[in-house]
Amino acid sequence: MARDQIDTQPVESRDDLVAWLEAGCKAPQKFRIGTEHEKIPFTLKGHEPVPYEGENGIRALLEGMHALNDWEPIMEGETIIGLADTIGGGAISLEPGGQFELSGAPLASIHETCAEVNSHLVQVREVATPLGFGFLGLGMSPKWTLARTPRMPKGRYNIMTAYMPKVGTHGLDMMYRTCTVQVNLDFSSEADMVKKLRVGLALQPVATALFANSPFTEGRPNGFLSFRSEIWRDTDNARAGMLPFAFEEGMGFERYVDYALDVPMYFVKRGDRYIDVAGSSFRDLLAGRHPALPGERATVSDWANHLSTIFPEVRLKRFLEMRGADGGPWANLCALPALWTGLLYDGASLDAAWELVRSWSAAERQALRDEVPRLAFNAEIAGRPVLELARDVVAIAREGLKRRDVRDSQGRDETRFLGPLEESLEAGRTPAEALLERYETDWNRSVEPIFDECAY
């Protein structure tokens, strides 16, 4: 998340929280696509991690990007921690281990979002190369230990770093060593939100398989195709997972609010100060009886920031975030929004996708989620291998993009962005399996070549 919310309007009741989510509903003609992607910085000489400070560090990169694109600096005290495009709505932010993130502007088409990604990567390379570093398109840092990974100077990350080991075994790995690409999509009504949320949750493991791209840790194979996804299975299960309640009768904004109210808080922010309230209850803050803020009531900012610290496979805010994919090659950064836009922004495709998944039980969905990080296309659900299911899913998305019929200046529709996924499906192997094959053959069981072959 590039910037914490700043809205001091008091929240008086649970109904206010429900209304805040419901305000995200918009007419289909106003639907937009927001793409976010993270990438791992590394030194071109020696393939080492890049620290924040120093003349060739992350701070220098942010300052160089500011000089290049004139976006507004995002500051924490005297420290620059990101950049914001106050006109278009995009932003650049830092993940805990220095992963450099573009939070894309809300755009009308995949053509526009892909152009945005392309422009960003060209700019980043223009600034980073003279500083002596590049960026990897992977789902996880392939070489460095957690101890060698730098830490970015952001207050919320200090709180999370202290809390994570109390609630899971992989929280720090998630924070400091993983990368994702995600797409944020709109809904028109509560019913539309629920249907898209259910389809997104059920098919998120399929997306994980399609984008599986994190098979290495600390210089060797880790036994998984998406270790990033495996990490989420034991990060903090109170705020992650497949949300089985979303498939129950009565699901809607109120039910999600009740879930979010019971997810332990990390922090509240007052001015520039982060107050560590990790593990405490938002219900207490809502009622004005939080021990860290006696007599204070929750604000809109508190609620928005709290929602940003909940990490299910699909996250509801005033839009839906598809969170199951590893970071990957340049082309895959456009394939991910193309996949979900084709599935969720066309009524016939959304219906077809729902038909694929509606009979699955909660136990089947969870078993698929548990198996995919290791098995990817070889996992099964309801007697069907994921490879076969993924072919159906991508075909449905293709038809949805065809019906959208949004053309670029050369007359091409959005289906071309599905090409990398269709190539993987035709080959029957994930990006991770292609990397593992290279590791065992051409790379001589070394991950060093990955810094050339998987760099942006």
Side-chain angles (χ1 to χ4, degrees):
M1 183 177 180
R3 174 177 274 173
D4 292 316
Q5 292 283 321
I6 303 173
D7 187 336
T8 58
Q9 178 181 342
V11 175
E12 301 295 338
S13 68
R14 171 180 171 275
D15 289 346
D16 289 347
L17 306 180
V18 174
W20 189 89
L21 284 178
E22 194 167 17
C25 296
K26 58 183 62 172
Q29 61 268 28
K30 294 184 178 180
F31 283 0
R32 293 295 181 264
I33 302 158
T35 302
E36 303 182 24
H37 83 268
E38 301 160 2
K39 47 208 168 289
I40 301 165
F42 66 93
T43 63
L44 297 174
K45 183 178 180 180
H47 302 156
E48 298 299 324
V50 179
Y52 178 81
E53 297 290 358
E55 62 181 19
N56 295 325
I58 298 295
R59 178 199 284 270
L61 174 64
L62 286 170
E63 291 171 344
M65 292 291 291
H66 171 55
L68 185 65
N69 61 26
D70 202 31
W71 287 11
E72 178 182 295
I74 301 173
M75 307 296 293
E76 190 164 314
E78 299 299 313
T79 303
I80 184 170
I81 58 169
L83 299 168
D85 179 0
T86 56
I87 298 174
I92 290 169
S93 61
L94 301 179
E95 291 300 303
Q99 306 97 314
F100 206 70
E101 179 179 7
L102 172 69
S103 297
L107 300 168
S109 73
I110 311 298
H111 305 298
E112 292 178 28
T113 201
C114 199
E116 175 192 52
V117 167
N118 293 345
S119 175
H120 169 75
L121 290 176
V122 168
Q123 288 185 354
V124 165
R125 192 160 53 191
E126 181 178 342
V127 177
T129 301
L131 295 174
F133 59 93
F135 293 90
L136 277 178
L138 291 171
M140 184 167 183
S141 168
K143 179 180 174 181
W144 314 307
T145 64
L146 186 59
R148 290 185 61 210
T149 303
R151 298 190 175 190
M152 298 298 105
K154 295 179 69 169
R156 64 187 283 160
Y157 295 158
N158 293 334
I159 293 169
M160 292 172 66
T161 296
Y163 183 71
M164 283 294 187
K166 302 174 183 178
V167 291
T169 60
H170 283 309
L172 299 183
D173 288 321
M174 178 278 292
M175 290 178 63
Y176 289 95
R177 298 203 287 180
T178 65
C179 280
T180 186
V181 53
Q182 72 178 51
V183 63
N184 306 326
L185 297 170
D186 292 314
F187 45 80
S188 62
S189 66
E190 184 172 59
D192 187 46
M193 179 278 290
V194 171
K195 191 171 185 178
K196 288 173 176 174
L197 177 64
R198 288 171 172 170
V199 167
L201 285 166
L203 291 180
Q204 211 61 220
V206 176
T208 299
L210 282 163
F211 290 85
N213 197 40
S214 47
F216 303 112
T217 307
E218 297 178 16
R220 55 189 178 273
N222 52 40
F224 294 87
L225 298 176
S226 176
F227 191 50
R228 183 205 62 83
S229 182
E230 176 66 14
I231 281 169
W232 275 110
R233 293 182 63 235
D234 194 14
T235 286
D236 181 350
N237 290 331
R239 67 184 72 246
M242 292 288 284
L243 305 184
F245 69 83
F247 294 84
E248 297 171 359
E249 188 173 350
M251 175 59 192
F253 294 120
E254 289 190 36
R255 182 67 186 84
Y256 195 87
V257 165
D258 288 338
Y259 157 73
L261 282 171
D262 289 328
V263 172
M265 298 175 70
Y266 280 151
F267 64 85
V268 290
K269 190 176 183 184
R270 293 295 180 264
D272 288 333
R273 185 167 65 101
Y274 286 89
I275 302 171
D276 186 345
V277 297
S280 68
S281 166
F282 199 97
R283 291 184 187 274
D284 286 346
L285 184 61
L286 183 63
R289 57 171 185 263
H290 196 287
L293 298 158
E296 283 197 38
R297 304 297 293 263
T299 67
V300 171
S301 294
D302 294 330
W303 179 238
N305 291 333
H306 178 56
L307 291 181
S308 77
T309 68
I310 299 174
F311 306 123
E313 294 293 295
V314 180
R315 179 161 62 190
L316 173 62
K317 294 198 278 193
R318 283 177 158 174
F319 45 84
L320 290 167
E321 300 180 351
M322 304 294 132
R323 294 173 44 81
D326 286 2
W330 193 316
N332 281 25
L333 304 181
C334 303
L336 190 277
L339 174 70
W340 288 111
T341 298
L343 290 171
L344 302 188
Y345 274 8
D346 173 77
S349 287
L350 182 57
D351 288 344
W354 177 237
E355 284 302 313
L356 273 183
V357 307
R358 65 185 305 169
S359 65
W360 298 349
S361 68
E364 286 175 317
R365 290 191 299 270
Q366 187 60 52
L368 181 65
R369 167 68 184 88
D370 293 341
E371 291 177 359
V372 155
R374 188 185 298 275
L375 299 177
F377 289 154
N378 291 318
E380 293 188 359
I381 185 168
R384 297 190 71 196
V386 168
L387 179 61
E388 179 183 314
L389 178 62
R391 285 171 176 155
D392 287 348
V393 169
V394 173
I396 290 170
R398 172 172 278 277
E399 291 305 309
L401 295 177
K402 279 184 180 179
R403 283 187 289 268
R404 269 172 58 85
D405 197 29
V406 178
R407 305 276 173 160
D408 66 8
S409 60
Q410 298 177 55
R412 299 172 296 184
D413 69 17
E414 296 166 313
T415 59
R416 69 189 183 93
F417 296 111
L418 294 174
L421 305 185
E422 292 167 336
E423 290 174 12
S424 288
L425 291 170
E426 185 175 354
R429 68 178 187 177
T430 62
E433 289 166 301
L435 293 178
L436 286 166
E437 182 180 326
R438 300 281 283 158
Y439 173 85
E440 295 291 348
T441 56
D442 299 344
W443 296 356
N444 249 352
R445 296 183 64 81
S446 167
V447 298
E448 294 299 327
I450 211 168
F451 291 90
D452 294 319
E453 297 198 19
C454 294
Y456 290 122

